[in-house]
Amino acid sequence: MVAPARPQFVLFGSSIVQLSFGHGGWGAHLSDIYARKADILLRGYYGWNSRRALQVLDQVFPKDAATQPSLVIVYFGGNDSMGPHFSGLGPHVPLHEYIENMRKILIHIQGLSERTRIIVLSCPPVNEEKVRGNTSGVLSELVRTNELCQSYSEACIKLCKELDVKVVDLFNALQKRDDWRNACFTDGIHLAAEGSKIVVKEILNVLKEADWEPCLHWKSLSTEFAEDSPYDLVAADGKTTLNPSEWTFYREIQWD
């Protein structure tokens, strides 16, 4: 453990989580936004479904850990919602089982500590045309449809409301852009930079509006070692220094 201790935010999910530090990803944006405020920890697993998440849940989130996360952002559903393969192999998980798996995951995380908060990302849409065009001699045909994505997204949102867990409706959030099919994805499934910006905006909205104590929005968290120092940059007057601890002008986006 590197000191001093900061709040820990864990990103737990499948490839949309694992890849969130590439392509201008939403995980990278969160790490920048929360620099010197919270540690963003990546626990993303490419290709995983909710079944595999359940298998390692106690290892990723041990209940006897000395430090428990302040926030866990959970995403599973895209792989679960794929159409089933005739062999019985593959990531597909029937909708009813997916919901029960997510219920177990969320209840486990809720039990880590009284101050561990959760945000769930629901299943996003896909660019069906692009997915169909991504043929490969290595993989069997991928059955990814927006009808399936929507049904898993809606069921996930319903579960979160039942458990009083915050949820981001990614299925509809991404489609607010007229050009979402091409702008939001790299391959029709995984998020491009524009898609990730939407994810970050939605997460920050939840954090800003949530009635949580303490508030986990970035503007409410203290900045580590932010005191003024004579070793800061010298101001134009040549007599004082400028503390850069809270500067954000360098960011491409000025997040709210």
Side-chain angles (χ1 to χ4, degrees):
M1 180 68 183
V2 178
R6 300 173 180 173
Q8 293 183 354
F9 293 4
V10 181
L11 316 183
F12 180 49
S14 54
S15 54
I16 281 180
V17 173
Q18 181 176 327
L19 302 179
S20 67
F21 278 74
H23 303 292
W26 59 276
H29 278 299
L30 289 178
S31 286
D32 176 46
I33 293 168
Y34 280 90
R36 298 172 63 174
K37 295 175 179 288
D39 289 331
I40 310 298
L41 306 179
L42 187 65
R43 295 296 183 270
Y45 305 93
Y46 202 117
W48 279 33
N49 58 18
S50 60
R51 284 177 182 165
R52 296 197 70 180
L54 270 180
Q55 291 173 353
V56 302
L57 192 59
D58 289 319
Q59 298 174 64
V60 177
F61 298 106
K63 289 194 172 182
D64 60 352
T67 301
Q68 295 294 358
S70 298
L71 175 67
V72 182
I73 299 178
V74 181
Y75 168 72
F76 290 100
N79 296 312
D80 300 70
S81 70
M82 289 177 61
H85 193 268
F86 68 88
S87 67
L89 300 172
H92 170 73
V93 174
L95 181 57
H96 68 277
E97 181 189 342
Y98 163 70
I99 291 303
E100 288 311 305
N101 291 345
M102 289 296 292
R103 183 189 303 276
K104 293 173 183 176
I105 291 169
L106 298 178
I107 290 175
H108 179 90
I109 296 172
Q110 285 178 322
L112 295 179
S113 79
E114 291 183 355
R115 290 198 166 190
T116 297
R117 311 303 185 186
I118 306 172
I119 299 175
V120 174
L121 307 180
S122 79
C123 186
V126 296
N127 182 335
E128 294 184 18
E129 183 178 357
K130 195 161 189 177
V131 172
R132 288 192 296 268
N134 292 338
T135 56
S136 168
V138 177
L139 295 173
S140 296
E141 179 185 3
L142 299 179
V143 180
R144 305 287 291 256
T145 70
N146 283 318
E147 182 179 0
L148 288 170
C149 291
Q150 183 174 15
S151 64
Y152 279 67
S153 175
E154 290 176 350
C156 178
I157 293 169
K158 181 179 179 181
L159 172 67
C160 290
K161 291 180 179 178
E162 176 189 333
L163 297 178
D164 194 25
V165 170
K166 302 297 185 185
V167 60
V168 172
D169 180 359
L170 279 190
F171 186 82
N172 287 301
L174 293 177
Q175 293 186 72
K176 290 178 182 178
R177 282 189 61 141
D178 292 337
D179 60 347
W180 66 270
R181 288 180 178 82
N182 294 316
C184 291
F185 303 103
T186 58
D187 56 3
I189 297 172
H190 299 104
L191 296 173
E194 293 303 310
S196 278
K197 290 175 185 176
I198 295 172
V199 176
V200 175
K201 181 180 178 182
E202 294 292 329
I203 290 172
L204 293 180
N205 283 342
V206 171
L207 291 169
K208 187 175 183 179
E209 295 174 4
D211 184 21
W212 291 340
E213 182 60 42
C215 178
L216 298 178
H217 187 264
W218 68 279
K219 291 183 179 179
S220 296
L221 295 182
S222 61
T223 299
E224 190 174 276
F225 301 135
E227 62 274 5
D228 293 335
S229 169
Y231 304 120
D232 286 334
L233 298 170
V234 180
D237 62 13
K239 300 177 182 179
T240 57
T241 57
L242 298 175
N243 187 338
S245 299
E246 307 291 348
W247 288 357
T248 63
F249 68 85
Y250 59 87
R251 290 178 180 156
E252 175 190 0
I253 301 172
Q254 294 301 306
W255 301 101
D256 187 18

